[in-house]
Amino acid sequence: MSEKSSYKDVFIFDHPLIQHKLAIMRDKDTSTKEFRELVSEVSMLMAYEVTRDLPLRPVDVETPIGIAHCHMIEGKKLALIPILRAGLGMVEGMINLVPMAKVGHIGLYRDPETLEPIEYYCKLPDDIQNRDVILLDPMLATGGSAAASVGFLKDRNIEHIKFVCLIAAPEGIERLHSEHPDVPIFCAGLDERLNEHAYTVPGLGDAGDRLFGTK
Ligand code: PRP
């Protein structure tokens, strides 16, 4: 379902459903309601692949007819951590597939002048050190928000982190991987570059504004 890109540990989801939905999300005329639904749907589809390496354990299940030798997910604990605010749009779709996951939140905004991320909120599950983290943000632009968020998590001794976004720019991939080479990146689309305002081109605009209708 995903293809490895020319970048090491960057996985681009080439599934037709994801590519189709991403195209509609990019359209400037897509409504807030539809955009929100699409982010949720694509996140659910991405969860399918992002959780591919969850370990299984054998279980015997008694069916109405006999015993089935099955597999279930071994008690692997997950945490979904959206980067506020746009990452919130990806939570519902993902948690539908992994309802046992807990949700933490990291609040960052990008300073419009320095473009550097400023932390304004952080609340994580108590047992976060025992969980594998899926960090969520629709956009990887300069990579500042993602790299800072991973840094906050590592400061709390969290080791296993995956970063999942809708669109990644080369600049963001390079920054996140140079600061945190151990964090794989999963995305639906790889953009060309950033513009002078650090938006991805062609991108989809400001994901937070499009999700919440604030512009
Ligand atoms: C956007 C986006 C990412 C960040 C990406 O958030 O949702 O969090 O910018 O940019 P970066 O890779 O250069 O750090 P924004 O600061 O607009 O905040 P919002 O989610 O509250 O809209």
Side-chain angles (χ1 to χ4, degrees):
M1 179 169 166
S2 68
E3 83 181 20
K4 249 191 123 138
S5 70
S6 53
Y7 292 99
K8 186 174 173 288
D9 287 335
V10 175
F11 302 89
I12 301 170
F13 292 82
D14 57 358
H15 193 287
L17 285 173
I18 292 182
Q19 291 305 311
H20 178 87
K21 290 173 190 291
L22 180 63
I24 303 172
M25 271 189 269
R26 287 185 186 273
D27 188 331
K28 65 179 174 44
D29 294 325
T30 295
S31 69
T32 296
K33 174 178 181 288
E34 200 180 356
F35 186 87
R36 197 160 43 224
E37 289 166 356
L38 288 161
V39 171
S40 202
E41 290 167 10
V42 169
S43 302
M44 190 189 302
L45 293 168
M46 292 177 92
Y48 177 80
E49 190 66 14
V50 170
T51 53
R52 176 175 286 283
D53 60 354
L54 285 178
L56 293 172
R57 64 181 166 86
V59 288
D60 285 348
V61 173
E62 194 175 340
T63 77
I65 311 295
I67 300 295
H69 305 297
C70 305
H71 290 88
M72 295 182 85
I73 294 170
E74 196 169 45
K76 191 75 178 175
K77 294 181 172 177
L78 289 177
L80 305 181
I81 304 196
I83 301 176
L84 303 179
R85 81 197 141 134
L88 286 174
M90 301 177 73
V91 173
E92 190 190 337
M94 284 231 166
I95 210 159
N96 278 337
L97 281 197
V98 285
M100 68 290 194
K102 289 197 174 173
V103 182
H105 297 85
I106 292 179
L108 291 174
Y109 67 89
R110 203 165 56 164
D111 184 289
E113 281 173 13
T114 66
L115 302 178
E116 284 304 307
I118 315 283
E119 182 187 351
Y120 64 87
Y121 187 77
C122 185
K123 178 75 179 169
L124 303 174
D126 284 345
D127 59 352
I128 188 73
Q129 282 85 6
N130 303 326
R131 291 178 179 269
D132 285 359
V133 166
I134 302 177
L135 187 61
L136 304 171
D137 193 329
M139 310 303 283
L140 182 65
T142 65
S145 307
S149 299
V150 172
F152 297 147
L153 296 173
K154 287 185 174 174
D155 289 346
R156 293 166 171 90
N157 301 319
I158 298 157
E159 288 175 4
H160 299 111
I161 303 167
K162 293 172 177 168
F163 181 77
V164 182
C165 61
L166 300 179
I167 295 180
E171 293 88 336
I173 290 172
E174 279 152 26
R175 176 157 178 189
L176 183 54
H177 269 175
S178 72
E179 294 187 29
H180 303 289
D182 55 308
V183 175
I185 298 171
F186 298 83
C187 64
L190 181 59
D191 263 6
E192 295 161 16
R193 60 182 171 85
L194 298 182
N195 69 12
E196 63 277 21
H197 305 293
Y199 279 90
T200 67
V201 179
L204 48 69
D206 184 309
D209 285 337
R210 296 202 64 186
L211 273 166
F212 299 112
T214 41
K215 219 177 234 176

